[in-house]
Amino acid sequence: MPGAFQNGKEAIMRGYAVVDVETTGFSFKHGHRIVEIGVVELDASGAVENTWETLVNPQRHMDATSTHHITAADVCGAPTFEHIADKLVHSLTGRLLVAHNAPFDSGFIQSELRRCGRATEDSLPAIDTMALAKQYLRLPSVKLAECCKHLGITNAREHAALADAEATTQVFQHFLSNTSAFEDTIQPQLAAAEAFNGFLQPEQPSQPAGQTIQQPNEPLLLSRAQTQQAREAAHNGGWFAGLVDEREPVASSTVENYFSLLDRVLLDRLLTTTEQDQLLTFAKDNNIGSQGLQDLHEEYLSQLLELAWADGVITEEERTIVLAVARALGIPSAAAEEALQPQAVETGGRHHSSSPVYEDTREGAIYGTEDHGTDPGMGPLQGIVLRPGDRVTVTGARAYSTSDWTHYFDAHGVVLAGLSKKTKVLIAADPDSQSGKAQKARAYGIPIVAEDVARDILRFTD
């Protein structure tokens, strides 16, 4: 069993840890999780020693995006809380936790630490700058923004964890320097923090127990800025640029499997972060390098164009789809635009058809053990065909209510129900969602499409 950190001579208080967290909701008791944390480490005088921040993969559906502007795509590559627990415990050990509305932040932190076996049930001593503001500032509102405004503190990124932690630091420093808060409130809490014995060591039998302050293995952190940089780098197909450039020929069966995967992930004409990871995993598993993927993408788009031109006309919808696919696969828009101009197109390729819409009537499955209603090829153009009695699942709906979706599918004899292997498609507000439904759908090979385009790509046979 993990042992608790002991408080010996090394336990002299190092100062303060000002922390802010962003979460999926208001209550950890209802299963909500941390999605971002920012930490400012202060010395005993209140001077800043160090800062760090990271997004956190909550391993559940992302909520409260309208508040903190963090999406499921942002946290796909972020560490889980378990991976940053050592670093956080190191920041907190020998320091008094400080937060604005401390019961909220400390409650989530303790819940997460207990979840991964790093804390006891003992309450973590903390200083609440919101409570101090009520006592010393006497403002009508003691929200962080109002306290900052009153004290002349600038916080350009409200509801970003590190920015809020840094703003809270300045508020706290004001109370340290300009009020009697240290003698009245902070000093007693420092004593309580020094006596705190509630952190648990990870299960590492080879290391001696009983060390108060241990230097953690540095986890891989991911900030909002790094996520934005990665997103910009991934624009126009840059997501596969990091692959080793291999020139080995790709087996025809591998090509077909990759094209089938492209059909699936491009059903909604979007390529999410999770879907990029799926494609990269396939490429690495099959020793396909960056040039190999580029060649495959050009061939895929060529066949998509062939299918679009099969009836001799490119509709505006088909043009939009082709350009969206080209952009996702890293093919220059100029080349795609040129290919969309009227021209003679050879037919007879893998996906040739004279019909603009396919219906998959096979008994077998394309992406798993069940038939998920997708066409044998060129998913972006064909969409998803649903027949009376088919099953569809919706998760995290925002644009339409469950009642709206029920009426919509009832009109076509399609059943809206929970996720199972017989589900034809999962409609998600955020296709990168890490909810249980989304994770299960990926395991079953069920297509996940974005709610805001779902009605554009669904086809009914009734």
Side-chain angles (χ1 to χ4, degrees), residues 110 114 119-125 196-199:
Q110 290 187 137
R114 290 165 186 158
T120 67
E121 295 296 320
D122 296 339
S123 295
L124 186 61
F196 183 68
N197 199 36
F199 294 132

Side-chain angles (χ1 to χ4, degrees), residues 326-403:
R327 187 164 53 249
L329 298 182
I331 298 171
S333 58
E337 287 279 12
E338 182 180 354
L340 285 165
Q341 301 307 310
Q343 57 187 289
V345 180
E346 296 182 5
T347 59
R350 166 179 173 260
H351 297 293
H352 170 63
S353 170
S354 60
S355 170
V357 175
Y358 281 92
E359 176 186 353
D360 180 9
T361 58
R362 300 172 302 159
E363 293 181 0
I366 304 173
Y367 305 120
T369 58
E370 300 291 335
D371 168 12
H372 295 299
T374 45
D375 179 69
M378 294 293 126
L381 282 176
Q382 309 313 331
I384 296 176
V385 177
L386 297 174
R387 311 176 186 89
D390 280 348
R391 182 187 188 114
V392 173
T393 303
V394 175
T395 184
R398 294 176 187 152
Y400 302 96
S401 68
T402 301
S403 177

Side-chain angles (χ1 to χ4, degrees), residues 76-98:
C76 279
T80 63
F81 190 90
E82 184 176 7
H83 289 129
I84 66 164
D86 278 0
K87 185 174 182 66
L88 180 59
V89 167
H90 182 264
S91 291
L92 294 175
T93 301
R95 291 190 177 96
L96 175 59
L97 173 66
V98 178

